Amino acid sequence: MYIGREMYSPLTDPARQRELFAQTVGRVEVETHSYCNRRCDYCPNVVGDRLGPNVRIKPAIWEKLLRDLAEVGYSRFLVLNSYNEPLYDRAILDRIAEARAALPRARIMIYTNGDYLTPSYVDDLAAAGLDYMHVSIHLKQGDKYSDVYVLNRIAEIAHRTGLQARFSQIRPNDSIIARFDTPKLEMETRAINFDRHGNDRGGLLPDLSPENPRTDPCNFVFQHFHMGYTGNVVPCCHIRSDRPEHAKHVIGNLDRAETIFDIFFGAKAAAWRRGLIHDRAKTGPCATCTAPVILNQPNWRELLQNAYQRHVAPLEGQAAT
């Protein structure tokens, strides 16, 4: 992850934008359409606003995204969903194939609730170029986490797809992880107790908010590029790109911007990184975020604090004067 000086002020040099994007961004998430068939209590979709007519991403926005990623030879995680259900619209097969053609070295992934899975759909996804499918086990609306329900749901998906599930983790009343046996792609299923591990999604789900404000820094705003089906780009996956409560947190729209690089290195994105690299209490939608810092370096806190002191504190001093 790059945490140097250029990350905290607008960067306009095209060559440097592309160099740093390729260096620091390891996860690109994009919604290819709007619809989700579920209303889970621990998801902002609980209000049912994703149950209306399905809206696909504009071809021009999608093509611009692939063009820009191909330009830097993007080879890391490309996740083709967010708050939508990717398998509801079989056009996902075309989007996967197009992404595979444009980005032959990227790891193309989807997260699905599994409701639309069939043996032939698994085959079609693999043939299109999908590398990894995460089947999330969700509860019925109003239900509480139950190991028995989760195990039955995994068994049902295994029966419906004709695949055997091999369990790798069972933590009672906490989480269950298994892999489905298929040589065509990597396919994993996972259930977690959201009462214990849920996120309030930028304050949209106050019942999941912690008592104390967040003080930890955040690496997501340095390493992730997250875009909704409208082309709105937000700082991270915990902010809904199309909810009015989060409209002021949108950092750009690819339908209007020239490139993804102009958004990622624009003034709004830089301001988010300035506000999330320190160890002080966070504000806005980040104040109650419980997402962990995911960095490999054991001394990540020291590294981020040093970067704050070198690159951000002087900017704050200039603003104060």
Side-chain angles (χ1 to χ4, degrees):
M1 182 176 81
Y2 182 76
I3 54 175
R5 176 181 52 82
E6 294 115 318
M7 301 302 287
Y8 313 103
S9 299
L11 177 64
T12 58
D13 178 70
R16 188 61 174 155
Q17 285 179 341
R18 286 152 178 79
E19 180 183 0
L20 290 183
F21 189 96
Q23 180 178 341
T24 197
V25 175
R27 189 179 185 93
V28 173
E29 297 190 12
V30 55
E31 289 180 333
T32 60
H33 60 268
S34 65
Y35 186 84
C36 181
N37 62 308
R38 286 183 172 247
R39 296 176 62 181
C40 299
D41 296 319
Y42 40 83
C43 174
N45 294 358
V46 67
V47 297
D49 58 342
R50 288 299 186 97
L51 288 169
N54 185 41
V55 180
R56 293 176 176 173
I57 192 171
K58 289 181 180 179
I61 297 175
W62 172 248
E63 292 163 6
K64 192 183 293 186
L65 174 74
L66 291 186
R67 177 205 67 191
D68 291 346
L69 292 176
E71 187 176 345
V72 297
Y74 186 77
S75 60
R76 302 187 189 182
F77 297 152
L78 175 62
V79 182
L80 297 184
N81 65 278
S82 180
Y83 289 100
N84 62 327
E85 168 47 47
L87 299 188
Y88 166 77
D89 188 344
R90 288 183 67 90
I92 189 66
L93 296 171
D94 295 326
R95 302 295 85 78
I96 292 171
E98 291 157 359
R100 174 55 64 218
L103 309 168
R105 296 188 297 140
R107 181 168 169 79
I108 302 176
M109 310 164 65
I110 60 171
Y111 290 68
T112 173
N113 58 38
D115 291 349
Y116 299 96
L117 278 175
T118 63
S120 62
Y121 210 165
V122 174
D123 291 343
D124 292 342
L125 290 163
L130 186 68
D131 293 300
Y132 172 87
M133 177 160 49
H134 184 290
V135 184
S136 301
I137 304 300
H138 293 297
L139 309 178
K140 297 177 181 178
Q141 194 171 11
D143 283 357
K144 290 293 185 180
Y145 181 91
S146 161
D147 292 327
V148 172
Y149 173 81
V150 168
L151 292 171
N152 286 336
R153 175 65 174 157
I154 293 174
E156 184 269 325
I157 293 173
H159 176 74
R160 181 153 41 85
T161 57
L163 299 172
Q164 182 175 354
R166 299 187 182 277
F167 292 89
S168 57
Q169 175 179 295
I170 298 180
R171 294 177 177 170
N173 199 37
D174 184 272
S175 58
I176 296 177
I177 302 174
R179 288 180 178 266
F180 290 110
D181 280 348
T182 171
K184 299 171 182 177
L185 53 80
E186 185 179 352
M187 188 171 166
E188 183 179 51
T189 183
R190 182 175 302 189
I192 63 172
N193 186 337
F194 282 93
D195 285 339
R196 293 184 176 185
H197 303 294
N199 188 291
D200 74 354
R201 306 294 187 178
L204 294 177
L205 301 168
D207 287 347
L208 294 176
S209 298
E211 294 183 3
N212 299 317
R214 180 189 183 97
T215 56
D216 273 351
C218 177
N219 61 295
F220 287 10
V221 291
F222 292 85
Q223 294 183 296
H224 295 186
F225 183 88
H226 189 94
M227 185 172 72
Y229 68 94
T230 64
N232 280 346
V233 180
V234 288
C236 81
C237 61
H238 297 300
I239 295 176
R240 266 274 304 261
S241 65
D242 61 331
R243 279 285 287 267
E245 301 96 320
H246 284 175
K248 63 183 178 182
H249 306 313
V250 173
I251 62 174
N253 184 287
L254 193 54
D255 200 20
R256 297 185 289 272
E258 289 293 323
T259 69
I260 61 175
F261 314 114
D262 292 330
I263 297 174
F264 188 76
F265 292 103
K268 290 184 178 180
W272 278 90
R273 289 189 281 269
R274 290 196 302 272
L276 287 171
I277 196 171
H278 56 65
D279 271 341
R280 301 195 302 269
K282 305 303 181 287
T283 60
C286 304
T288 52
C289 181
T290 54
V293 178
I294 305 174
L295 293 172
N296 292 327
Q297 300 96 323
N299 62 332
W300 59 264
R301 191 180 297 275
E302 179 185 354
L303 292 172
L304 294 180
Q305 279 303 292
N306 287 342
Y308 167 75
Q309 292 295 336
R310 291 184 61 192
H311 306 304
V312 179
L315 296 175
E316 292 176 341
Q318 293 173 14
T321 59

